[in-house]
């Protein structure tokens, strides 16, 4: 799998390379000009990890236009949730601290490569909140009948937990609300992801909140 690392800070770029080289074929650029040349070529890239200092929303739009299949991840020295949300709206699939530890960086790369999104919990909750329907969905008598779009195979508990994820709750908050352990919540979510073929919380929230109100 091809990955571009774009960063003008040599030490930081080498840190990313060391963390990711065992899993990906890595191409490096140090300037925005070199990045524009690279993404303008016909070579296909799966992932692009770029330092926030080199890009703005216009640059992101350019990259998305030239390499629409490339999954773009932005690393910022000073991550800001509002900024991150803006980039996510443009189609960016990852936003994190530039100095994320190597193990977490590899995990982040694998997550976005699998088709999911990598962001912090607070930003995830804000993003999920934007997917919530304007009108409340009926969830009692007709709940079973509304389990369309991949939700029909969920058990009652799995469906309940999926709904709480769609509200933006963390695993710990779900556990406290339902009176179960966080480990049990994780086990139910694993089953939910397997049954729905969804890769993460955002995808599950989008799926759940697309149900039609009764």
């Amino acid at each position: 799998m091809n990955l571009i690392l774009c960063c003008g800070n040599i030490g930081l770029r080498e840190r990313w390379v060391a963390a990711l080289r065992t899993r990906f074929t890595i191409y490096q650029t140090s300037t925005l000009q070199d990045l524009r040349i690279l993404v303008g070529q016909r070579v296909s890239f799966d992932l692009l990890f770029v330092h926030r200092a080199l890009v703005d929303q216009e640059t992101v739009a350019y990259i998305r236009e030239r390499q629409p299949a490339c999954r773009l991840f932005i690393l910022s020295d000073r991550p800001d949730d509002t900024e991150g949300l803006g980039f996510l709206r443009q189609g960016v699939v990852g936003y994190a601290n530039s100095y994320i530890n190597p193990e977490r960086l590899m995990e982040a790369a694998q997550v976005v490569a699998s088709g999911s999104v990598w962001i912090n919990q607070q930003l995830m909750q804000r993003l999920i909140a934007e997917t919530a329907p304007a009108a409340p969905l009926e969830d009692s008598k007709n709940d079973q009948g509304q389990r369309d779009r991949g939700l029909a195979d969920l058990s009652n508990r799995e469906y309940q937990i999926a709904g709480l994820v769609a509200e933006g709750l963390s695993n710990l908050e779900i556990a406290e609300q339902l009176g179960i352990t966080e480990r049990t919540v994780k086990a139910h979510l694993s089953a939910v992801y397997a049954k729905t073929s969804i890769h993460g919380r955002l995808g599950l929230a989008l799926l759940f909140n697309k149900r039609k109100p009764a």
Side-chain angles (χ1 to χ4, degrees):
M1 181 171 284
N2 295 333
L3 182 153
I4 304 175
L5 295 179
C6 182
C7 179
N9 182 322
I10 296 176
L12 188 55
R13 193 170 70 248
E14 290 180 346
R15 174 188 174 98
W16 298 350
V17 171
L20 299 171
R21 63 188 174 191
T22 60
R23 175 67 174 78
F24 300 94
T25 300
I26 296 176
Y27 297 79
Q28 299 182 51
T29 63
S30 59
T31 67
L32 186 58
Q33 181 179 6
D34 289 344
L35 176 61
R36 285 180 179 271
I37 292 172
L38 196 57
V39 300
Q41 296 175 356
R42 293 186 176 183
V43 179
S44 176
F45 295 98
D46 304 289
L47 300 174
L48 169 57
F49 280 55
V50 60
H51 197 203
R52 170 64 181 89
L54 293 180
V55 296
D56 52 21
Q57 291 188 339
E58 181 179 352
T59 307
V60 169
Y62 174 86
I63 295 170
R64 294 284 298 141
E65 179 182 356
R66 292 302 183 94
Q67 291 279 346
C70 184
R71 303 183 65 76
L72 176 57
F73 196 116
I74 294 178
L75 293 121
S76 172
D77 294 349
R78 296 182 179 179
D80 176 82
D81 284 354
T82 299
E83 175 184 86
L85 194 58
F87 282 129
L88 289 165
R89 288 174 180 145
Q90 285 189 281
V92 169
V93 297
Y95 183 77
N97 193 297
S98 303
Y99 294 91
I100 183 175
N101 72 57
E103 293 77 15
R104 292 285 282 173
L105 182 59
M106 174 61 86
E107 183 182 355
Q110 292 175 326
V111 166
V112 297
S114 73
S116 192
V117 174
W118 181 278
I119 50 180
N120 65 42
Q121 181 64 39
Q122 293 73 26
L123 187 52
M124 178 66 76
Q125 290 175 332
R126 287 184 61 178
L127 197 58
I128 288 175
E130 290 194 349
T131 75
L137 298 174
E138 186 177 338
D139 57 5
S140 55
K141 295 180 181 179
N142 296 324
D143 207 31
Q144 184 66 39
Q146 291 185 13
R147 299 192 189 187
D148 54 1
R149 302 194 181 208
L151 299 171
D153 293 334
L154 302 186
S155 69
N156 289 336
R157 178 63 93 182
E158 290 165 355
Y159 188 77
Q160 183 182 31
I161 289 174
L164 293 174
V165 167
E167 291 177 15
L169 274 66
S170 67
N171 288 352
L172 180 59
E173 290 170 332
I174 293 172
E176 291 175 347
Q177 181 166 322
L178 299 182
I180 57 179
T181 67
E182 189 174 3
R183 182 176 179 180
T184 299
V185 173
K186 291 179 180 179
H188 282 305
L189 276 177
S190 293
V192 169
Y193 294 146
K195 291 180 179 180
T196 60
S197 298
I198 294 295
H199 295 291
R201 303 177 83 85
L202 179 58
L204 180 58
L206 290 169
L207 177 66
F208 194 92
N209 287 330
K210 284 179 180 177
R211 297 176 306 148
K212 295 179 180 179

